[in-house]
Amino acid sequence: MGIAIKLGISSCLLGEAVRWNGTHKLDRFLVDTLGKFVEYIPVCPEVECGFSIPREPFRLVGDPSSPRLVTSRTKIDYTERMTDWACKRVRELEKEDLCGFIFKSKSPSSGMEAVKVYNEKGVPVKKGVGVFARAFMEHFPLLPVEDDGRLHDPKLRENFIERIFAFKRWRECLREKQSRGGLVDFHTRHKMLILSHSPEHYRVMGRLVARAKEVPPKELYEGYQKLFMEALRLKTTPKKNANVLNHILGYFKESLSGDEKQELLEIIDLYRQGTVPLIVPVTLINHYVRKYDQPYLKEQYYLYPHPLELQLRNHV
Ligand code: SF4
């Protein structure tokens, strides 16, 4: 039985009317589509920290690298209050075993990047991080995080969702089979996926796994987890994906007919040139994996990293 994917989320994105003016920012994709596969843990820093609805809006002011959180008209500084609450809240969130967090963009409390920070003349620069978002990312540096705005970009969306599913599998691996064999199996099944992001990380991780017996367990698992999440954060490109697809083609050397091989090569090339999306060569490969019962490829998460219903590879 698999574990649920728990994601933290800014409450207003779920449709909760908690914003300063009593409105919400319901995001249909997050609630109706992704919501079928994850369990959300809502967090509204401003309300949970004790501010009313409605309330005077906040803004970030001062030094963009460590701004203050103040009310925008009356200029009351609530930085300490929010920071203290945020430090407590992130410690509480440890017990939820989150696989990621989706922040509300642009918010002085919840925004993860490019939040407006005003200088003394009232001129903003989009360089800030919301107070709660900063505390969260510092406390959980490896957890996948995104905001609702960035998730409209198909590539960022695919990458984020791939990472939360990967992190969930990693959690399962740690829970079920913390053994050298378990780690080798995990690493083997993620080979193509890791290669599609970073061949360099795959090599370093391979060396770590090979030394598994000599490395103390804590160092081994923490080291592997860090490399794994770092690798998946790096962008895939048509070139890297096409290399992986060609590598996969090598496993069919014996089974595919000349025609089938040629057709697959052509489709990989069409993908590399941007004429068809990634789902096209992957679907054809999955068809051959089933047809020729290719046991090694059947196990590769690269071929099914997240549910098809999310249609994430139709646009990348
Ligand atoms: S952006 Fe954050 S603080 Fe503002 S309403 Fe949404 S969850 Fe609450």
Side-chain angles (χ1 to χ4, degrees):
M1 186 49 191
I3 53 177
I5 298 184
K6 281 193 189 176
L7 282 189
I9 190 166
S10 300
S11 312
C12 53
L13 294 174
L14 294 180
E16 293 178 22
V18 287
R19 295 184 70 224
W20 63 276
N21 56 2
T23 62
H24 58 71
K25 278 283 179 185
L26 173 64
D27 186 299
R28 284 266 160 226
F29 170 77
L30 297 180
V31 173
D32 299 343
T33 309
L34 187 59
K36 287 194 197 125
F37 302 97
V38 303
E39 180 189 335
Y40 287 124
I41 308 294
V43 180
C44 176
E46 292 175 16
V47 169
E48 291 183 32
C49 182
F51 296 99
S52 61
I53 312 168
R55 57 190 169 273
E56 189 183 344
F58 292 98
R59 58 167 54 171
L60 295 177
V61 300
D63 175 3
S65 63
S66 59
R68 313 291 302 172
L69 180 75
V70 301
T71 46
S72 52
R73 189 172 38 82
T74 50
K75 311 270 184 272
I76 303 171
D77 190 324
Y78 284 112
T79 316
E80 253 76 65
R81 174 162 157 188
M82 180 60 89
T83 310
D84 291 350
W85 169 83
C87 289
K88 251 195 345 251
R89 189 70 171 103
V90 293
R91 282 199 300 275
E92 265 171 40
L93 285 171
E94 276 171 17
K95 66 173 186 307
E96 299 287 359
D97 279 342
L98 296 178
C99 289
F101 203 107
I102 302 174
F103 292 107
K104 170 70 191 76
S105 57
K106 301 180 191 160
S107 153
S109 307
S110 302
M112 61 175 265
E113 59 154 48
V115 180
K116 283 183 186 162
V117 183
Y118 293 81
N119 66 14
E120 63 285 359
K121 292 193 188 107
V123 180
V125 284
K126 287 184 178 171
K127 286 191 172 169
V129 178
V131 177
F132 170 68
R134 181 189 296 272
F136 184 91
M137 293 189 289
E138 282 175 4
H139 197 75
F140 302 107
L142 292 178
L143 274 193
V145 291
E146 270 304 349
D147 70 34
D148 58 318
R150 287 168 52 93
L151 285 175
H152 286 135
D153 176 320
K155 287 201 174 79
L156 295 177
R157 179 184 283 192
E158 200 267 346
N159 179 271
F160 176 70
I161 294 174
E162 185 183 280
R163 282 186 291 146
I164 60 173
F165 275 87
F167 200 67
K168 178 208 173 214
R169 292 191 295 270
W170 173 247
R171 281 255 162 81
E172 281 172 346
C173 170
L174 287 182
R175 198 161 79 165
E176 286 163 18
K177 38 183 181 182
Q178 265 210 34
S179 64
R180 187 176 174 275
L183 186 63
V184 171
D185 182 49
F186 183 90
H187 187 61
T188 307
R189 297 187 67 181
H190 286 84
K191 173 176 175 177
M192 304 298 171
L193 193 69
I194 300 166
L195 282 176
S196 71
H197 289 271
S198 171
E200 178 54 27
H201 275 78
Y202 182 74
R203 274 192 291 277
V204 178
M205 292 161 85
R207 285 202 287 271
L208 179 64
V209 173
R211 291 194 303 120
K213 276 193 188 137
E214 305 145 33
V215 183
K218 191 168 171 333
E219 200 181 307
L220 175 68
Y221 288 102
E222 283 182 5
Y224 187 89
Q225 171 173 301
K226 184 161 182 290
L227 287 163
F228 183 56
M229 296 315 289
E230 264 175 23
L232 297 192
R233 195 153 51 190
L234 297 172
K235 288 195 186 86
T236 61
T237 59
K239 193 170 164 226
K240 285 191 241 177
N241 273 318
N243 285 345
V244 170
L245 295 167
N246 281 316
H247 190 70
I248 288 176
L249 184 60
Y251 286 86
F252 291 113
K253 240 190 256 146
E254 309 296 317
S255 39
L256 291 193
S257 70
D259 249 16
E260 286 173 328
K261 247 181 248 166
Q262 190 51 36
E263 186 192 18
L264 189 48
L265 272 172
E266 281 169 19
I267 287 180
I268 294 173
D269 222 43
L270 288 176
Y271 161 70
R272 194 205 313 262
Q273 294 161 18
T275 313
V276 299
L278 182 56
I279 190 75
V280 176
V282 166
T283 304
L284 186 56
I285 286 170
N286 271 325
H287 167 74
Y288 290 138
V289 169
R290 212 175 307 163
K291 181 171 171 189
Y292 296 111
D293 195 26
Q294 220 305 323
Y296 178 76
L297 293 178
K298 243 190 213 164
E299 303 269 292
Q300 285 299 311
Y301 284 114
Y302 178 76
L303 295 172
Y304 52 97
H306 32 56
L308 271 180
E309 292 100 304
L310 293 173
Q311 300 189 2
L312 298 169
R313 283 174 160 178
N314 301 35
H315 311 286
V316 296

